[in-house]
Amino acid sequence: MMKKRSAVMMSSVMLMSVVLAACGGNNNTASNNTQNGSAGNAASGKVKTVKIFQFKTEIVEGLNELKVEFEKEHPNIKLDIQTVGGGADYAAALKTKFASGDAPDIFSNGGYAEMALWADKLEDLSDQPWVKDLIPLAAEPMTKDGKTYGMPMNLEGIGFVYNKDLFAKAGITETPKTITELEEAAKKLQAIDVIPFGNAYQEWWLLGIQGISVAFAQQDNVDEFINGLNAGTSTIVGNEKFKDWSNLLNLTVKYGQKNPLTTDANTHLAMFANGETAMMQEGNWAQTLVDGITPDMNIGMFPMPINDDAAMNDKLSVGVPANLVVNKDSDSKEEAKTFLNWLVTSDMGKEYIVKKWKFIPALSTIPATPEDIGLLGADVWNYVKAGKVYGLQASKFPDGVTQEFASSIQQLIAGKVDEAGWEASMQAAWDKLKK
């Protein structure tokens, strides 16, 4: 259990977020319009279906439970919830949906470059009542020219999830802040017959979206670097941060379980939750998954150090994993807005967000305590409060490059390319897919 002081600090920061959030105007008109649309359908007896296509597999059960409650309260709106996630390619599946004439009314979008890719399909949601309550960090990916085009589902942090009890047993008293300290910790864990790392390197998203984000985030100016890659003035080849990141990757393989390239996320979660491994690259969403195997496990999270610069490494990768957007060409877009508003304002919706899904809420109006969001969420929120965060970068990449990155990284792990060959392959993937 977290100390009461942590809960007080969290409450204080969330109250500050209300002040920091971009000021909204009077949203009564938008709220009334949404309610009137729903009421109009009820009066006419017409039933509208809202098709939701999203990728967060860990919330499917909860979404289906919320669907039942929402439809009780809104009998003239039916929800059709479909999920494509895990190891599947959501982006490709979404394109197929639109191309086949089965376009969803609500779908997931990562923001930044992904928002630009789908710009002609996105409804402007700036007039929605929840927009004024967005925490600024969460609002950024889907904000352009002062307009908001998506509802952030939550904030997530990515790093090494670790077993605090195994760390204590091995005599590790502080979480590593440098790659040297990380190797020292790995050796201590090996000495007590514990596998330091469980590596699910079969999963393309773990490598090409989440892991590699650190190499981008630690650039002197990440946006300038990415713009330079697009313009041909920056290069991955010879870039020190990518060399550093490959050193971290090699370290996890050296001190990891056998056959990392044929290990999937479910396996590495099970190994960790059963105490076979002490660390795994994951996000705070893993809280509910670990709880499902070993309830009340004593776990935490720390950033992935790629070199020996402790100050640079003591920042956690935090951002919005997905935003829910509305298809502007939908015949059910008002009903879609009604559901989104209900999700973040109803007592049941807010309870599911923080207590069932263990989400760090993206809105200042959704209260959350460390006990609500779990040990991992509390660790992430502490980094956010301290201002020690890097943004997640993959939504700024060219469409399709994350899968290409993962393939290149897997070749490096397999020993099919050396460091120089890997960097060249990464650069070639970017050059091929950039606009």
Side-chain angles (χ1 to χ4, degrees), residues 45-60:
K46 183 179 180 181
V47 176
K48 300 288 285 285
T49 297
V50 175
K51 293 183 288 187
I52 302 172
F53 191 61
Q54 66 93 35
F55 69 75
K56 291 190 73 61
T57 55
E58 71 270 24
I59 68 170
V60 171

Side-chain angles (χ1 to χ4, degrees), residues 300-311:
M301 183 183 293
F302 64 92
M304 295 181 279
I306 64 173
N307 51 40
D308 282 332
D309 186 333

Side-chain angles (χ1 to χ4, degrees), residues 196-232:
F197 297 96
N199 301 314
Y201 290 157
Q202 175 181 314
E203 305 287 4
W204 67 269
W205 49 267
L206 189 144
L207 294 167
I209 293 179
Q210 296 168 4
I212 199 63
S213 181
V214 180
F216 282 87
Q218 285 208 20
Q219 300 297 321
D220 291 338
N221 185 313
V222 62
D223 289 334
E224 284 185 7
F225 178 72
I226 289 174
N227 290 337
L229 288 176
N230 290 329

Side-chain angles (χ1 to χ4, degrees), residues 24-239:
N26 188 328
N27 284 289
N28 291 336
T29 301
S31 181
N32 289 339
N33 286 342
T34 300
Q35 292 170 2
N36 289 340
S38 182
N41 285 336
S44 68
K46 183 179 180 181
V47 176
K48 300 288 285 285
T49 297
V50 175
K51 293 183 288 187
I52 302 172
F53 191 61
Q54 66 93 35
F55 69 75
K56 291 190 73 61
T57 55
E58 71 270 24
I59 68 170
V60 171
E61 179 184 355
L63 276 177
N64 286 325
E65 292 170 359
L66 289 174
K67 162 187 161 73
V68 174
E69 185 66 23
F70 175 78
E71 290 179 352
K72 285 181 184 177
E73 297 181 25
H74 301 82
N76 287 71
I77 304 177
K78 299 300 180 186
L79 302 181
D80 176 6
I81 302 170
Q82 300 178 37
T83 300
V84 171
D89 189 341
Y90 174 83
L94 180 63
K95 292 175 185 175
T96 299
K97 283 280 185 184
F98 274 89
S100 65
D102 186 27
D105 306 300
I106 295 173
F107 59 98
S108 301
N109 188 286
Y112 299 119
E114 194 174 336
M115 176 176 64
L117 181 67
W118 289 93
D120 64 336
K121 299 296 183 184
L122 303 184
E123 176 80 355
D124 181 3
L125 301 177
S126 303
D127 64 350
Q128 293 302 291
W130 46 265
V131 170
K132 69 182 186 304
D133 302 317
L134 290 175
I135 294 171
L137 175 64
E140 183 180 329
M142 291 300 297
T143 300
K144 185 177 182 181
D145 299 329
K147 296 181 179 180
T148 299
Y149 292 93
M151 172 189 282
M153 295 188 71
N154 61 314
L155 290 174
E156 282 183 353
I158 294 167
F160 285 128
V161 174
Y162 72 106
N163 184 322
K164 292 182 179 180
D165 292 338
L166 289 180
F167 267 46
K169 184 178 178 181
I172 305 165
T173 57
E174 294 184 1
T175 54
K177 292 182 174 59
T178 67
I179 194 167
T180 297
E181 291 176 357
L182 185 63
E183 183 164 21
E184 290 171 354
K187 290 177 179 178
K188 290 180 179 179
L189 289 162
Q190 275 191 336
I192 62 168
D193 295 322
V194 171
I195 301 171
F197 297 96
N199 301 314
Y201 290 157
Q202 175 181 314
E203 305 287 4
W204 67 269
W205 49 267
L206 189 144
L207 294 167
I209 293 179
Q210 296 168 4
I212 199 63
S213 181
V214 180
F216 282 87
Q218 285 208 20
Q219 300 297 321
D220 291 338
N221 185 313
V222 62
D223 289 334
E224 284 185 7
F225 178 72
I226 289 174
N227 290 337
L229 288 176
N230 290 329
T233 57
S234 299
T235 179
I236 291 171
V237 176
N239 185 280

